[in-house]
Amino acid sequence: MSDTDLDTTARTILTENDQGGYTIPTKGLYPYQWNWDSVFVALGFATFDQDRAWREIEMLFEGQWRDGMVPHILFRKDDPSYFPGPSVWGTDGGPLPSSGHSQPPVAASVIRDLVDTDPSGSALERAAALLPGLMQWHRWFLSYRDPKSQGVLAVIHPWESGRDNLPDWDDALRAVEVKDIEPYERKDTSHVDPAMRPHKEDYDRYLSIMSACRNVDWDPAKVAKTCPFFVADPGITFIFLRANRDLLNLAERLGKTEEVAEIQNWIARMETGAKTLWHDELKAHVAVDQRTGKMTNGISSASFLALYAGLADEHTISSLQAHFDRIASKVRYLMPSYDPDHESYEPLRYWRGPVWAMINYMIARGFAEAGDAVRAEKLRADTAALIETSGFAEYFSPETAEGAGGGTFSWTAAIWLTWASPSHVEKAA
Ligand code: GLC
């Protein structure tokens, strides 16, 4: 298929996954509105329909909880083909049925992009309407995912990281006691090859964490204190730090002086804290189990997001460039979700090796902003080659480009349109 045909297919995927203002990640496997999926999807819509792009994010914020959280899934209509559905989550925190935790807060960054690229001026008005919700959500993260003000965000469930099956969660997950779970039937393994999905032992623990949180009625302060899983995640920490910088820019443009001062404090706290995730021997940022203090020992694709977060001192840049080149010599397509030199690496099991287009997009922005256009372009070209070879899959093998997981995937289509497509590159030139 030619690149212009791929542009058309990508727009068709977004339109067909559109449920009337919000977009599902893919039919079958993920039939609801997912948090960070929707936000990346907005970037794709923005290439041909600005109004629809804003609608996507506005509908996500319609599900915001009273305490400020924006949930990771909004169950707008019941779909028995998905497990665990609303009755298993048992939440009551917001206006719509939803899951009980959040996902990486990319929204402020994408909103800033929408404002930067929309010359009409109405974009800034729509951003202004979303600003209070964004402020509340960011405050929620600081209060309940960084309760000791350490400047790093923890996740209370592997799913909150958005990188569900990452080896970094293995030890902390193994320590979760399996209890309070009813007999259940998974649905994910009937949609895609079980060899690419998590194991049953992991699933039992995913559900046990949910039970523990349900037992405290998803009260965020109690969850922070008692949740059996509480792991500081470089991915969500870097995305949040970046999002605060973009939120600051929006607040400044909107003349919100109090908010500006508040966000500046958040940035200072996160800049100091994020550095504590640095692993001296590995020379990269890693996850830390906050219940045990133990650092993980592997480099994930999120380690490269330090640059996206603006932590671009010489030492960080040169360490990440060296890892980048080492990994590039091992696999044909960057950036594997986990280090191919690590024993837990598996090229096709999700989040243990495969490549995700939207992670490449963020890593590339970080490299470009740090002045490394060559590595940024390698990421774009690899992402384009993966999509040209295997279409709009959920994720790809870094070794063979084989597409895996769900097909006709919304965020893969969106990232193609907004960044990877050669026709987009030509337009931007
Ligand atoms: C998987 C991914 C998560 C994503 C969801 C929907 O659970 O790990 O990041 O949001 O699918 O695409």
Side-chain angles (χ1 to χ4, degrees):
M1 212 188 274
S2 74
D3 287 334
T4 29
D5 289 344
L6 283 169
D7 290 352
T8 310
T9 308
R11 285 191 285 268
T12 308
I13 288 173
L14 292 187
T15 313
E16 285 184 353
N17 287 340
D18 181 359
Q19 304 293 298
Y22 76 94
T23 308
I24 55 171
T26 188
K27 295 202 175 85
L29 186 62
Y30 300 121
Y32 297 110
Q33 184 173 21
W34 259 259
N35 188 320
W36 69 335
D37 294 66
S38 261
V39 178
F40 288 115
V41 156
L43 284 175
F45 274 119
T47 63
F48 63 100
D49 186 345
Q50 291 276 347
D51 175 61
R52 181 59 188 75
W54 283 99
R55 206 55 215 122
E56 187 78 32
I57 302 179
E58 288 159 359
M59 283 194 78
L60 177 66
F61 275 82
E62 284 174 10
Q64 185 162 32
W65 281 23
R66 292 179 290 279
D67 64 17
M69 183 185 75
V70 183
H72 107 287
I73 310 176
L74 298 181
F75 300 111
R76 286 176 180 274
K77 34 184 167 180
D78 224 10
D79 191 322
S81 71
Y82 182 81
F83 178 86
S87 61
V88 187
W89 286 96
T91 62
D92 181 26
L96 295 171
S98 75
S99 63
H101 57 65
S102 201
Q103 247 190 343
V106 284
S109 297
V110 168
I111 290 172
R112 178 183 174 183
D113 282 342
L114 294 184
V115 170
D116 283 348
T117 52
D118 180 358
S120 76
S122 71
L124 199 57
E125 270 168 45
R126 287 175 98 157
L130 285 166
L131 193 80
L134 285 166
M135 292 293 297
Q136 251 199 310
W137 189 23
H138 284 213
R139 281 186 203 115
W140 175 89
F141 267 115
L142 289 155
S143 303
Y144 304 119
R145 296 299 186 256
D146 182 21
K148 294 187 183 148
S149 301
Q150 292 169 312
V152 289
L153 294 191
V155 291
I156 61 129
H157 195 294
W159 297 344
E160 189 161 59
S161 72
R163 301 182 299 142
D164 307 16
N165 199 32
L166 196 75
D168 288 359
W169 318 136
D170 288 358
D171 284 353
L173 198 59
R174 225 167 282 135
V176 171
E177 192 187 342
V178 175
K179 63 173 191 187
D180 296 339
I181 58 176
E182 307 274 324
Y184 66 96
E185 190 194 334
R186 284 169 71 170
K187 300 284 168 66
D188 57 326
T189 40
S190 64
H191 296 292
V192 298
D193 181 354
M196 297 174 188
R197 301 291 302 178
H199 300 286
K200 164 144 182 19
E201 307 82 84
D202 302 324
Y203 236 83
D204 286 350
R205 291 182 168 84
Y206 295 154
L207 294 171
S208 301
I209 300 173
M210 286 161 62
S211 301
C213 297
R214 231 178 22 233
N215 290 343
V216 294
D217 296 324
W218 293 99
D219 172 316
K222 290 185 186 153
V223 166
K225 254 199 212 113
T226 63
C227 184
F229 188 96
F230 205 75
V231 183
D233 169 22
I236 209 162
T237 297
F238 290 149
I239 286 170
F240 184 66
L241 174 48
R242 166 59 178 251
N244 282 324
R245 297 189 199 280
D246 292 321
L247 191 60
L248 177 67
N249 174 282
L250 289 169
E252 279 166 355
R253 277 149 101 158
L254 291 165
K256 301 277 180 193
T257 339
E258 273 171 38
E259 283 83 348
V260 165
E262 188 177 355
I263 302 165
Q264 279 166 340
N265 285 332
W266 299 344
I267 293 173
R269 164 167 158 189
M270 299 303 298
E271 276 180 342
T272 312
K275 292 184 187 145
T276 64
L277 300 179
W278 183 259
H279 190 302
D280 269 335
E281 275 157 51
L282 285 181
K283 299 200 178 352
H285 298 87
V286 299
V288 179
D289 183 340
Q290 294 202 324
R291 298 292 185 233
T292 63
K294 205 173 150 211
M295 280 193 136
T296 53
N297 68 353
I299 292 169
S300 72
S301 48
S303 304
F304 292 92
L305 293 177
L307 306 182
Y308 175 79
L311 299 180
D313 56 279
E314 261 318 301
H315 185 52
T316 306
I317 297 179
S318 59
S319 303
L320 291 180
Q321 284 171 330
H323 284 306
F324 186 105
D325 296 347
R326 175 180 58 79
I327 293 174
S329 74
K330 293 278 153 103
V331 296
R332 162 64 188 84
Y333 304 94
L334 292 175
M335 182 53 83
S337 38
Y338 217 64
D339 191 334
D341 282 329
H342 193 278
E343 58 186 6
S344 301
Y345 167 77
E346 293 180 73
L348 275 176
R349 195 182 290 276
Y350 103 138
W351 293 112
R352 303 179 88 84
V355 180
W356 264 259
M358 85 299 177
I359 301 271
N360 276 4
Y361 163 75
M362 291 187 287
I363 300 175
R365 276 192 82 154
F367 272 103
E369 287 164 7
D372 187 342
V374 173
R375 288 182 181 80
E377 172 53 19
K378 155 93 175 136
L379 285 160
R380 191 207 60 77
D382 281 6
T383 309
L386 288 167
I387 294 171
E388 283 156 0
T389 310
S390 295
F392 296 97
E394 181 178 4
Y395 52 84
F396 304 87
S397 161
E399 297 174 9
T400 63
E402 181 183 340
T408 58
F409 221 84
S410 296
W411 65 15
T412 313
I415 293 299
W416 171 266
L417 289 172
T418 195
W419 172 64
S421 166
S423 62
H424 174 77
V425 178
E426 275 156 33
K427 252 187 268 154

